[in-house]
Each structure stands twice: as structure tokens, then as C-alpha cells.
Amino acid sequence: MTPLEVEDLSVRRADGHELLRGLSFSLGPGERLGLVGESGSGKSLTALAVMGLLPSGMAASGSVLLGGTQVIGAPARRLDGVRGRVASVVFQEPLAALDPLMRVGGQIAEPIRRRRGLRGGRLRAAVLAALSEVRLPERVARAYPHEISGGQRQRVAIAMALACEPGLLIADEPTTALDVTVQAEVLALLDGLVTGRGMALLFIGHDLAVVADVADRVVVLKDGSMVESGRTRDIVREPRHAYTRSLVDSAWALEGELDRLAP
């Protein structure tokens, strides 16, 4: 079954203003697709529309099939059976996604309990295994989100997203709030987990260099519209649209500057 099929997706505000228009793409089992564009281009809005999580006052049209289930117009009860099981999201700021009043272990335990029906010692063992998979020590289970680092919080968010064993992981700028060293560690972790589980990945970012390291195909968004799409290596080597060329030039310029500053 195809994890994600998006056809002519548009998102409008209540006043009729179109924020996202005519977006179409698909993602097969095990494939990796990157959505790239500047702030306000519609990247995160696409992720929210795909998961049926648009804020009040916004409406989507077109078609979004998530694991074969139509998201557009679907009741919340139907989508509750899809979220987590078919697709999960890792958001940009884990501190906002985690409950500040609940210990980390409890937050990871909840989706595992719902998905696998575990209790007691078996549930605790599964929580510790989930922490180990994202390379976190057992003591993190007893901590509150504010007591661990930003990189550790993002690893917790990844563990929670994978707890229900989804076929599709949506990573919405998961490393933007992290420093360069931690960013590289989290990206390597994501790469290994996605590959090991044979999952599809929708990776969202504003940095083409980062997206290119992760995704096999790329969709370039600007002002709510797709301006270019194709294989990542083709986009990087021969961008056709002026906006894509500017992203590529910026990525190469940053790469050159980092090489110059390297010891």
C-alpha cells in the first residue's frame, strides 16, 4: 500500500485567501521525499494538512490518501486510527510537543500501550528499549522534558513517533533548533532508524543542503506553490527554476564557507 498520495491539495483561510495551492506528490514504501522552501512557503502547512491537523479557520481541498484513508473531510475518529499507526510526525520544537508535567518515560509509554496493549513490566521494558533505540540512557525515563537537553528532547520525540511502528515518518524541520553537531547526530539517527525499519520519510526543511543529504526526491515550494520537483541529484546539479537555483547557490556557498573555516 502506498503510504501517501497527495493530489491537487490546497489550503485556504476562512476569508478565502489561499495559502497552499494545487500540490501533488506521492511517497511509496521506503521512499524518501524532501519538501524544501523558505519560511512561509507552505512546508509545515502541508504536513498539518496531510495529518488532518490544520488549525481552526483553515480548510483543505483536493485529496490526501494516508495509507489508503482519505484525510480530507474525514471525521476525527477515523483519523485517530491513522495517526501514529500509519504515519507519525516529529516537529521542529520538541519542547512544545512534549508534556512539561509528565516524565519522559510516561510520554513514551502512552503510544506503546495504545498500540501494543502492554502493561507493567513488559511496558517498562518496551519504554527502555525505545530509549535505547534513540541512544538515550535509562535515566532519561525518569526526567521531565525541561531537565534534558534539546538534542535529547528531539530523540524522545523521535522515540514517541516510532512507538506505534508507522510506515511513514514526517520530520518537520526536526533539527532547526539544534546546534550543528547535535543536528548531524540526530540526522544520522533518523537515517539509521528509517532505513532499519524500511519506513517512508517525508523530510521538511528550509536548508537544501540538509534535505539533499536525507531525501532521494525533492519538491521545492515557494509562496504556497510547487515550483520544481525531481530527483535530488538532478535538482542540485541542474535546477530549472530561478528560485531553486538560488537555494542551490546558497547551499554551495555555505558548504564552501564551512570548508574554509574547518581546521
Side-chain angles (χ1 to χ4, degrees), residues 3 28-32 86 88 161-162 165-170 193-201:
E31 288 188 335
R32 299 182 178 197
V86 174
S88 289
L162 298 181
E165 302 175 335
L168 168 63
L169 180 66
I170 300 174
L193 291 171
V194 168
T195 299
R197 291 171 175 244
M199 301 170 65
L201 174 66

Side-chain angles (χ1 to χ4, degrees), residues 9-28:
L9 173 64
S10 296
V11 175
R12 292 176 174 81
R13 293 195 312 232
D15 62 6
H17 179 72
E18 203 167 37
L19 301 171
L20 192 68
R21 62 189 68 83
L23 182 59
S24 297
F25 62 87
S26 63
L27 193 55

Side-chain angles (χ1 to χ4, degrees), residues 246-261:
S246 72
L247 293 178
V248 172
D249 290 344
S250 295
W252 282 120
L254 177 60
E255 189 75 19
E257 184 66 14
L258 290 176
D259 288 341
R260 187 183 69 79
L261 296 174

Side-chain angles (χ1 to χ4, degrees), residues 9-257:
L9 173 64
S10 296
V11 175
R12 292 176 174 81
R13 293 195 312 232
D15 62 6
H17 179 72
E18 203 167 37
L19 301 171
L20 192 68
R21 62 189 68 83
L23 182 59
S24 297
F25 62 87
S26 63
L27 193 55
E31 288 188 335
R32 299 182 178 197
L33 176 68
L35 289 183
V36 63
E38 61 194 356
S39 179
S41 61
K43 307 183 304 297
S44 295
L45 195 61
T46 299
L48 293 175
V50 162
M51 294 296 289
L53 293 172
L54 286 173
S56 177
M58 292 186 186
S61 61
S63 174
V64 174
L65 291 175
L66 198 56
T69 296
Q70 179 59 252
V71 173
I72 306 298
R77 180 176 297 179
R78 184 185 304 167
L79 293 181
D80 285 343
V82 172
R83 299 183 190 122
R85 180 177 58 83
V86 174
S88 289
V89 185
V90 177
F91 291 105
Q92 176 177 340
E93 179 43 72
L95 196 57
L98 299 176
D99 186 338
L101 302 179
M102 182 182 291
R103 296 183 191 274
V104 165
Q107 298 193 54
I108 297 175
E110 184 59 24
I112 294 176
R113 182 188 61 77
R114 290 200 312 267
R115 171 64 172 163
R116 297 163 58 184
L118 301 181
R119 298 288 189 279
R122 294 177 63 196
L123 179 58
R124 174 174 170 75
V127 169
L128 297 182
L131 286 172
S132 176
E133 189 175 33
V134 295
R135 303 171 195 168
L136 288 174
E138 291 186 12
R139 60 178 173 77
V140 171
R142 300 186 295 275
Y144 290 96
H146 71 273
E147 295 176 326
I148 57 179
S149 70
Q152 289 175 321
R153 286 193 291 267
Q154 195 59 286
R155 289 169 186 261
V156 170
I158 292 170
M160 291 174 63
L162 298 181
C164 291
E165 302 175 335
L168 168 63
L169 180 66
I170 300 174
D172 186 5
E173 304 212 44
T175 61
T176 299
L178 307 176
D179 65 46
V180 175
T181 302
V182 178
Q183 173 178 287
E185 293 173 353
V186 171
L187 287 174
L189 175 66
L190 270 176
D191 177 72
L193 291 171
V194 168
T195 299
R197 291 171 175 244
M199 301 170 65
L201 174 66
L202 179 61
F203 190 91
I204 297 169
H206 66 274
D207 187 335
L208 180 59
V210 172
V211 175
D213 279 343
V214 175
D216 303 315
R217 293 186 293 118
V218 173
V219 170
V220 182
L221 296 178
K222 180 174 174 55
D223 299 329
S225 295
M226 180 175 68
V227 298
E228 191 164 352
S229 66
R231 293 188 302 177
T232 303
R233 63 182 182 183
D234 295 335
I235 295 291
V236 171
R237 290 174 181 173
E238 297 183 22
R240 299 184 301 275
H241 193 277
Y243 176 65
T244 310
R245 285 196 295 272
S246 72
L247 293 178
V248 172
D249 290 344
S250 295
W252 282 120
L254 177 60
E255 189 75 19
E257 184 66 14

